[in-house]
Amino acid sequence: PEFLSLQGKINSSLLEAIISKPLKLTTMSSVQAEVLPMLPRLIEKTVDGTYLDLLVKAKTGTGKTLAFLVPTVERRLRSIEDAKQKALKSALLKEDTRLEAQAGTAFARQNIGALIISPTRELATQIAREAQRLTSHLPQFETHLFIGGADKRTQLRGFLRGRRDIIVCTPGRLRDFLISDATVADAMKTVNTLILDEADTMLDMGFRPDIDAISECLPGPEQRQTFLFSATVPMKVRQVADMYLHREHKFINCSPDESLQVHHHVPQFYSVLPDDRSQIPHLLRLLALDQLNNPGTSKVIVFLPTLKMTQMFATILRSLGRKVLPTGQTTKIYEIHAQKRQTDRDRASSAFRRDSTGASILITSDVSARGVDYPNVTRVVQMGVAPSVEHYIHRVGRTGRQGSSVATRGDIILHGWEAGAVKTSLEKIPLQPYTVAEAQAEARQLASEYDQNPTKFMSMPSQRHLFGEGLERRLGTIEPEVSRFMKDAPEDAVTGMFLSLLGYYVPRAGDMMIDKFAMYNGLRQWVANSFALPSPPYASQRLMQTLGLIDEGGNRRNKRVDRPWSRSGHGTRFNDRRDNRRDDHRDNRRDDRRDDRRDDRRSSRFVSDGRRDSQPRSEPWDRRENTSKSGTWRPRSSSSYGASERQPWR
């Protein structure tokens, strides 16, 4: 159906914002077509005096935000109008413009129209912007945004002084307000509509205790209306629905076939690396192929599993991309992760969203994986196995968005020891093999075609000088440039990334059908070979006990492990690091205690990195003049960092 069919069912100002400026929409998406035609009945009380609650299952990128914003705003406008009529009736008047205005303003300042809870700052910000666009023809309507990374006092001041039409928030920041400010807690008792967006992601990220604490401050399910939107509806989501929705709620399934959760119109490929050193060159070739296949329109998102790895690869691509990619010096690298300040994340997200240069690449952790809308993305590349099939789906969902007019594709790059995931956790995904050799051949052929006739290769005259000259020769320098660049990587930075990857991968070894020690040694060898380390990094016994790699009894504590622990001797060293030092028991114990204290500090960072990317952390290094007289790298104390961005190395 078309949005014009809502004429007479919703406020004329709302309809104008939808069909003209600023939204300019004509036809409803599948989820909008299921929800919006239910107006106005959806926002009216039922026979038993309650409102109809909704549990909606819909894929990402299908217009869910507008599906819940339109009925939410419409109900708010009607509630304010009811308050005006009630004031007139109490004053025994039929009409009084001044009294109506006062009553409407008082009601809007004392009652919260809608509380929208979203799992990430980026998605919450996007929802708030969409709400502002939808209500652009309602000048007095106000939307408040409660998210971390922004000034609390400013957010609270705006809430206390203004109208309370819509509040969009993340669970952590709202719970913080409820604990620290009694006024906010009291105001929550007046919420008319509760919306839980991306409910499955909130539960995956561990926000269930926060949601439960927030719900204790809200009216009961019978006194409010609740919409729960989710891309998947596993048992844990159904349990939340049973607790927060009215027992007579309506279930709307916009994606009946689970396999349709992945956008089938997006071709998806997996590459198993033949060796450790080919990972970064293969990633660079995939980026080059996207620019060659989409000249002037290329727009790529690269997802990485941990914060540390996101920082590392952003630095690598920022340096190497300008040397070896077709777009050369015009290549734009955007970086988003929890280490960056919220203002910087918002700035990068907005800039990438608007970017139309055909040379843009977003390097991000999972903070951008869910719900955030980036138009006209041509390719999504995932480095390593996703935490779950749902995460894979939502990452791929950043391309092939509704209304996209460009060719799209999804790629996932796997180590050899990760390849089993294709037949286990990802077996229902329509993945096709794409080898490193195939990428090399395709890139070489396209580059040769461009060098021979740039005019024929480019469809628009303005694009003919986008790639420059000698493209085939430039792509042939990828391996040497990568090898040369990796030799300068600081070992401390690489070790920090290794620890974060341990925390990410080891807990998932069972799901991936991989032996934990094989995974541990695979990570060690990949880091050592890719970054030209003199020897593989290691983890202490306590760290490995935390990860469940070794048990606590019967084995000697040792700071370096290359194989299961042995009872013999006072400490087992790496085979490639044997020396002639005396094996003194007391020295070993002292060294181990020192190593354990250091790894305890590291583990507090890497465990958080492995679980979810949601809280800011300090970087352990940067490359300002931070060397000793011998030129070696040394970590800097967290207190010495400024507010500016730090990178692993430049």
Side-chain angles (χ1 to χ4, degrees):
E2 295 186 348
F3 282 101
L4 274 175
S5 62
L6 297 177
Q7 192 166 12
K9 297 181 179 181
I10 63 174
N11 186 280
S12 58
S13 296
L14 277 185
L15 186 60
E16 184 180 357
I18 294 172
I19 63 177
S20 60
K21 291 184 179 180
L23 298 178
K24 297 182 180 180
L25 299 175
T26 303
T27 307
M28 299 181 190
S29 67
S30 58
V31 63
Q32 293 163 359
E34 290 286 345
V35 175
L36 299 184
M38 299 172 65
L39 291 169
R41 181 174 56 87
L42 177 61
I43 57 175
E44 296 173 349
K45 287 188 175 181
T46 59
V47 177
D48 60 356
T50 61
Y51 291 93
L52 178 63
D53 291 347
L54 298 181
L55 170 59
V56 181
K57 177 185 174 185
K59 297 182 292 185
T60 59
T62 55
K64 290 187 293 182
T65 303
L66 203 61
F68 62 71
L69 279 179
V70 172
T72 296
V73 175
E74 178 64 21
R75 185 185 172 194
R76 177 62 168 177
L77 295 175
R78 295 195 180 198
S79 298
I80 293 174
E81 188 61 33
D82 290 343
K84 294 178 180 180
Q85 297 302 318
K86 186 177 180 180
L88 289 175
K89 186 176 181 180
S90 298
L92 301 178
L93 297 173
K94 291 185 177 181
E95 185 176 354
D96 188 323
T97 305
R98 184 177 180 182
L99 178 61
E100 289 183 63
Q102 291 176 343
T105 301
F107 180 85
R109 288 175 176 268
Q110 296 170 4
N111 298 271
I112 297 176
L115 176 65
I116 304 174
I117 304 178
S118 173
T120 66
R121 302 174 188 177
E122 283 71 21
L123 185 53
T125 301
Q126 180 175 295
I127 293 171
R129 287 173 179 164
E130 192 76 359
Q132 290 173 339
R133 297 176 70 199
L134 181 61
T135 59
S136 58
H137 297 284
L138 300 167
Q140 294 183 334
F141 208 91
E142 293 186 16
T143 298
H144 300 279
L145 181 62
F146 292 171
I147 59 173
D151 185 62
K152 284 179 58 176
R153 289 177 294 181
T154 302
Q155 294 175 353
L156 186 60
R157 190 185 309 118
F159 172 76
L160 296 177
R161 293 181 179 179
R163 290 165 52 119
R164 302 172 181 178
D165 295 308
I166 293 179
I167 298 174
V168 186
C169 65
T170 51
R173 175 48 61 94
L174 179 57
R175 189 176 183 185
D176 186 15
F177 275 139
L178 295 177
I179 295 173
S180 61
D181 195 288
T183 305
V184 177
D186 291 338
M188 289 297 134
K189 299 175 183 177
T190 65
V191 170
N192 290 327
T193 305
L194 171 65
I195 299 170
L196 300 177
D197 189 29
E198 304 289 1
D200 50 350
T201 297
M202 278 194 281
L203 298 178
D204 289 340
M205 295 175 68
F207 284 129
R208 178 62 187 270
D210 295 314
I211 297 172
D212 290 341
I214 292 168
S215 69
E216 294 178 359
C217 300
L218 304 178
E222 292 77 15
Q223 285 77 47
R224 67 169 192 256
Q225 186 170 30
T226 305
F227 298 153
L228 194 155
F229 281 71
S230 183
T232 60
V233 187
M235 181 57 65
K236 56 187 176 183
V237 173
R238 293 187 180 276
Q239 291 172 349
V240 170
D242 292 339
M243 180 175 295
Y244 292 99
L245 303 183
H246 192 271
R247 60 179 178 273
E248 301 298 330
H249 68 267
K250 181 179 179 64
F251 175 52
I252 299 176
N253 189 353
C254 297
S255 53
D257 187 350
E258 286 291 339
S259 64
L260 296 179
Q261 289 293 322
V262 180
H263 296 270
H264 273 266
H265 60 281
V266 177
Q268 297 162 69
F269 300 86
Y270 71 94
S271 300
V272 178
L273 299 172
D275 56 73
D276 296 327
R277 292 184 177 87
S278 61
Q279 184 191 50
I280 295 172
H282 185 58
L283 171 61
L284 288 167
R285 280 197 178 84
L286 291 181
L287 299 175
L289 282 168
D290 195 79
Q291 294 178 358
L292 289 167
N293 285 311
N294 303 285
T297 60
S298 175
K299 196 172 188 178
V300 183
I301 301 179
V302 181
F303 283 104
L304 294 118
T306 70
L307 181 150
K308 298 293 184 185
M309 193 173 181
T310 304
Q311 292 175 317
M312 183 75 70
F313 273 63
T315 302
I316 293 171
L317 294 179
R318 190 172 282 117
S319 178
L320 294 179
R322 295 185 173 97
K323 295 181 179 179
V324 302
L325 291 181
T327 52
Q329 294 297 322
T330 62
T331 303
K332 294 186 177 181
I333 304 295
Y334 301 93
E335 180 181 354
I336 296 178
H337 50 73
Q339 178 69 58
K340 297 176 72 69
R341 294 176 301 175
Q342 186 60 40
T343 53
D344 294 332
R345 288 162 62 174
D346 292 342
R347 190 180 301 113
S349 180
S350 298
F352 181 72
R353 185 179 291 108
R354 296 191 304 266
D355 196 301
S356 58
T357 61
S360 59
I361 303 169
L362 173 62
I363 313 299
T364 181
S365 59
D366 267 329
V367 296
S368 298
R370 194 65 175 266
V372 182
D373 185 17
Y374 294 119
N376 298 324
V377 170
T378 53
R379 184 180 300 232
V380 168
V381 181
Q382 303 186 45
M383 304 299 293
V385 173
S388 65
V389 65
E390 289 81 10
H391 280 77
Y392 173 89
I393 291 168
H394 298 306
R395 289 173 176 180
V396 173
R398 299 312 96 208
T399 187
R401 306 284 286 182
Q402 183 175 347
S404 177
S405 58
V406 297
T408 59
R409 170 172 169 147
D411 285 274
I412 182 169
I413 301 176
L414 304 171
H415 293 286
W417 45 267
E418 293 180 286
V422 176
K423 296 182 178 180
T424 55
S425 60
L426 300 177
E427 63 176 340
K428 294 184 178 180
I429 306 299
L431 287 166
Q432 306 172 53
Y434 186 69
T435 66
V436 171
E438 287 177 312
Q440 290 174 334
E442 184 179 355
R444 190 182 305 112
Q445 178 183 350
L446 290 175
S448 177
E449 291 178 7
Y450 173 81
D451 287 340
Q452 292 173 13
N453 194 342
T455 303
K456 181 180 179 180
F457 193 87
M458 296 296 193
S459 58
M460 298 176 60
S462 60
Q463 300 173 353
R464 290 173 185 171
H465 302 289
L466 181 64
F467 296 159
E469 299 178 352
L471 185 54
E472 185 176 4
R473 177 191 56 79
R474 199 187 321 158
L475 293 184
T477 65
I478 287 179
E479 276 80 6
E481 288 290 347
V482 170
S483 178
R484 188 179 303 113
F485 189 78
M486 289 304 172
K487 292 178 181 178
D488 294 331
E491 189 170 349
D492 285 348
V494 176
T495 300
M497 182 187 69
F498 165 71
L499 293 175
S500 74
L501 290 172
L502 276 183
Y504 174 82
Y505 276 109
V506 171
R508 297 173 174 84
D511 296 336
M512 296 167 61
M513 307 290 288
I514 303 173
D515 177 74
K516 287 186 176 182
F517 261 98
M519 178 179 288
Y520 168 74
N521 287 320
L523 282 171
R524 290 180 60 245
Q525 294 302 323
W526 165 70
V527 170
N529 293 333
S530 295
F531 293 89
L533 298 184
S535 59
Y538 64 90
S540 70
Q541 180 178 3
R542 179 176 297 182
L543 192 58
M544 297 183 74
Q545 287 175 348
T546 302
L547 293 171
L549 284 165
I550 59 174
D551 58 30
E552 297 182 359
N555 295 317
R556 291 290 306 173
R557 179 181 291 180
N558 194 296
K559 56 185 176 182
R560 296 168 180 170
V561 181
D562 196 22
R563 52 190 171 83
W565 294 85
S566 170
R567 293 178 180 270
S568 62
H570 294 293
T572 305
R573 296 181 175 86
F574 280 128
N575 292 333
D576 57 356
R577 285 194 174 184
R578 287 196 177 100
D579 57 26
N580 295 321
R581 290 179 300 176
R582 182 180 177 183
D583 190 9
D584 186 89
H585 179 60
R586 290 173 299 175
D587 288 346
N588 277 345
R589 291 187 60 186
R590 182 170 62 252
D591 288 346
D592 282 325
R593 286 196 297 269
R594 183 178 63 242
D595 237 27
D596 287 338
R597 287 194 298 270
R598 181 181 62 194
D599 281 324
D600 281 345
R601 293 193 295 270
R602 286 178 175 172
S603 65
S604 66
R605 293 195 294 269
F606 89 81
V607 170
S608 184
D609 281 340
R611 291 178 181 171
R612 69 180 188 218
D613 186 17
S614 59
Q615 298 298 328
R617 306 169 185 84
S618 60
E619 289 190 22
W621 36 258
D622 67 9
R623 199 186 175 176
R624 296 196 298 176
E625 296 300 325
N626 187 33
T627 58
S628 65
K629 294 181 180 179
S630 61
T632 57
W633 290 86
R634 289 184 177 176
R636 304 176 71 243
S637 63
S638 59
S639 61
S640 63
Y641 292 117
S644 61
E645 179 184 353
R646 305 295 183 213
Q647 294 296 345
W649 73 94
R650 300 190 186 280

